[in-house]
Amino acid sequence: YAIEFRQNFIEQLIKDENYQQAMEELVLLINYYSITLNSVDTEKLEKFLDKMLQLGNRIKSKELLILIQNERADLEKEKTQNENYEYALELCLKSEKIIQEDKSVESWIKMKTMKCLADIYSNLFEYEKSEEYYERCNYLCIAEHDEINKSFDEKIEIWKEAVEDYKRIENYEGAIKCYERSKDLWEQLRIENLEEWGYIGRVDYWDYEEDYIRCLFQVFRYKEAEVEIKRLINFVREEYMEEVSDWQLDSFFDIVQDGYYKCGILDKVKEYIKRRIYIYLFHDFFIDALFVKEERIESCFEQIMEFDISEGIDEILTRMEDLKEIAQEMEDMDLIEKCNKFEKKYKENIFEF
């Protein structure tokens, strides 16, 4: 309601030619509420800003003109037609020209213009130009502005978008900064909105931490990754009251194993290979795993051979025999065939040490 009231008030001020106060109100509306401009009459605003340029309030007029042009460009992009992308590009290039002519334009406005141009060039299949703008853009700067006066969950979404923007250009250090900048928000969400946290927050946080760990491994910061690995496992155990088993953490262990492999920490790679092999072989749901995760099990056994992991082979072979007997008792021909395949392949090939 407050936003709508201010918008109407601004329109009346412009109509009354009370330009200076209209400018102050418009700056407040955009900076304080961080709104988009698609609900404001952009044609009136452009005429108003032209008037303000004549009256000498050049900096704010230029910044607002850029925001309006960028907003109109976003609206044109949504129409998903080539001619609209061309028009959107024309609008954004006008914004860029203003920025180049006046270095005092605020950084977040410059960055939003860059991102808008990158998206448009991508939609026009001009990927070289698109990548140039994506790589020059400071997404952290955009997120710091956009999170102003937002709720916790809105802020989290803003920072998640910034992370994805950095990952798209493989700037993992930039993504890590965004993860670290937004870390406290998850704790605030957990404390202040238990309903939201219980419904989806803790699941999103699990995904967030997994992705954070991936990024740390990407830039060889494995010592920090180890801290986060312990933090995530403790979090999962506490939040789910130890109901989560190693079996359910298998996908996460896969991420960790790949991370250590990238960093060349082979002792840790072997440790996680063995841990995951034991998850598959000795968990009650192993029979289901032969169907659900057959390729992943096969990958683990192949890694045993690659890394020359000989510990516990007798125990593993015994377990394979037990599983084969279970399959025969069930008279499940498909399962027996799978067990025979594993037994033959890994007895004859992988376990020749």
Side-chain angles (χ1 to χ4, degrees):
Y1 176 77
I3 293 174
E4 183 181 354
F5 173 80
R6 284 191 177 275
Q7 287 175 343
N8 293 335
F9 183 45
I10 290 165
E11 288 185 3
Q12 186 60 48
L13 288 170
I14 294 171
K15 185 177 179 181
D16 296 341
E17 298 187 3
N18 190 345
Y19 296 121
Q20 192 59 47
Q21 188 179 353
M23 172 63 82
E24 292 170 3
E25 290 290 336
L26 190 54
V27 170
L28 177 65
L29 182 66
I30 292 171
N31 287 343
Y32 183 79
Y33 291 102
S34 299
I35 65 162
T36 58
L37 296 164
N38 55 1
S39 58
V40 181
D41 189 330
T42 55
E43 186 178 349
K44 284 184 182 178
L45 283 176
E46 284 176 344
K47 289 178 181 177
F48 158 60
L49 291 170
D50 285 340
K51 185 71 175 177
M52 291 307 297
L53 284 168
Q54 295 169 25
L55 294 174
N57 198 336
R58 302 187 63 79
I59 300 304
K60 285 300 176 186
S61 297
K62 288 178 180 180
E63 289 181 346
L64 292 169
L65 185 58
I66 291 166
L67 291 172
I68 289 168
Q69 288 171 167
N70 290 354
E71 181 69 26
R72 288 174 63 194
D74 279 337
L75 292 173
E76 292 300 328
K77 284 190 302 179
E78 290 175 7
K79 296 176 183 176
T80 63
Q81 296 174 9
N82 191 59
E83 58 267 26
N84 297 116
Y85 290 135
E86 294 285 0
Y87 181 50
L89 178 61
E90 180 185 333
L91 289 167
C92 261
L93 288 174
K94 286 181 181 178
S95 297
E96 185 182 44
K97 188 172 186 293
I98 296 171
I99 291 168
Q100 290 169 344
E101 290 173 350
D102 197 324
K103 304 301 181 185
S104 58
V105 173
E106 288 191 57
S107 295
W108 68 272
I109 297 176
K110 296 177 185 176
M111 295 305 114
K112 286 208 168 201
T113 304
M114 278 190 192
K115 185 176 179 182
C116 192
L117 277 164
D119 290 341
I120 293 168
Y121 278 125
S122 178
N123 285 318
L124 290 171
F125 308 106
E126 295 188 42
Y127 296 119
E128 190 173 334
K129 286 184 179 178
S130 175
E131 285 305 308
E132 178 189 343
Y133 281 102
Y134 279 133
E135 289 176 10
R136 286 169 53 200
C137 192
N138 184 336
Y139 303 105
L140 188 143
C141 175
I142 294 173
E144 284 179 334
H145 172 268
D146 286 354
E147 74 164 349
I148 296 170
N149 300 310
K150 295 296 196 302
S151 65
F152 292 131
D153 51 341
E154 287 173 328
K155 289 179 180 180
I156 286 169
E157 289 304 314
I158 286 166
W159 284 105
K160 282 164 70 174
E161 181 179 346
V163 165
E164 291 304 315
D165 285 332
Y166 275 121
K167 283 166 54 184
R168 176 175 49 201
I169 58 173
E170 298 183 2
N171 183 343
Y172 298 106
E173 290 288 2
I176 289 167
K177 286 179 184 177
C178 292
Y179 279 121
E180 292 169 348
R181 176 66 179 73
S182 59
K183 187 173 288 188
D184 291 344
L185 293 172
W186 293 97
E187 183 63 18
Q188 288 177 295
L189 178 65
R190 186 180 69 82
I191 292 170
E192 300 193 20
N193 194 336
L194 282 174
E195 183 178 354
E196 178 72 13
W197 177 258
Y199 177 64
I200 195 168
R202 61 183 185 177
V203 176
D204 283 351
Y205 178 74
W206 188 340
D207 291 340
Y208 158 90
E209 273 289 332
E210 282 189 355
D211 216 21
Y212 181 32
I213 289 165
R214 278 194 191 96
C215 288
L216 288 170
F217 277 126
Q218 284 289 340
V219 292
F220 302 96
R221 290 166 62 173
Y222 59 88
K223 289 293 184 184
E224 294 166 73
E226 287 174 353
V227 173
E228 295 302 323
I229 291 164
K230 291 176 184 176
R231 187 199 307 276
L232 179 55
I233 291 174
N234 288 338
F235 162 79
V236 170
R237 301 290 190 211
E238 289 170 7
E239 281 293 318
Y240 294 91
M241 301 176 67
E242 300 187 357
E243 294 173 359
V244 177
S245 65
D246 277 1
W247 169 261
Q248 290 161 300
L249 285 168
D250 173 56
S251 295
F252 171 60
F253 293 152
D254 191 26
I255 293 168
V256 175
Q257 181 186 313
D258 287 346
Y260 279 123
Y261 183 77
K262 178 178 178 61
C263 293
I265 316 297
L266 298 187
D267 286 346
K268 285 288 188 179
V269 175
K270 291 181 180 182
E271 176 187 324
Y272 276 90
I273 292 171
K274 287 188 287 185
R275 185 170 187 172
R276 294 175 63 222
I277 280 290
Y278 273 76
I279 290 172
Y280 294 137
L281 289 177
F282 294 94
H283 193 279
D284 290 341
F285 297 118
F286 176 79
I287 291 173
D288 292 332
L290 281 172
F291 296 96
V292 178
K293 296 187 176 181
E294 182 179 356
E295 289 183 6
R296 191 173 288 179
I297 295 169
E298 189 162 347
S299 172
C300 272
F301 276 112
E302 288 170 354
Q303 289 166 340
I304 284 180
M305 182 173 66
E306 179 183 351
F307 291 99
D308 192 28
I309 300 172
S310 57
E311 300 94 327
I313 288 175
D314 290 341
E315 188 177 5
I316 290 172
L317 287 173
T318 300
R319 176 61 172 163
M320 291 295 288
E321 289 289 345
D322 292 343
L323 291 167
K324 186 177 176 182
E325 289 180 14
I326 292 170
Q328 290 170 339
E329 287 174 8
M330 294 171 62
E331 296 183 353
D332 187 327
M333 299 308 296
D334 190 23
L335 185 56
I336 291 169
E337 183 181 343
K338 288 180 185 290
C339 287
N340 283 335
K341 183 188 75 171
F342 277 103
E343 184 180 43
K344 181 176 184 297
K345 182 173 182 180
Y346 301 114
K347 261 190 178 180
E348 293 178 358
N349 299 319
I350 290 183
F351 298 131
E352 291 179 357
F353 293 101

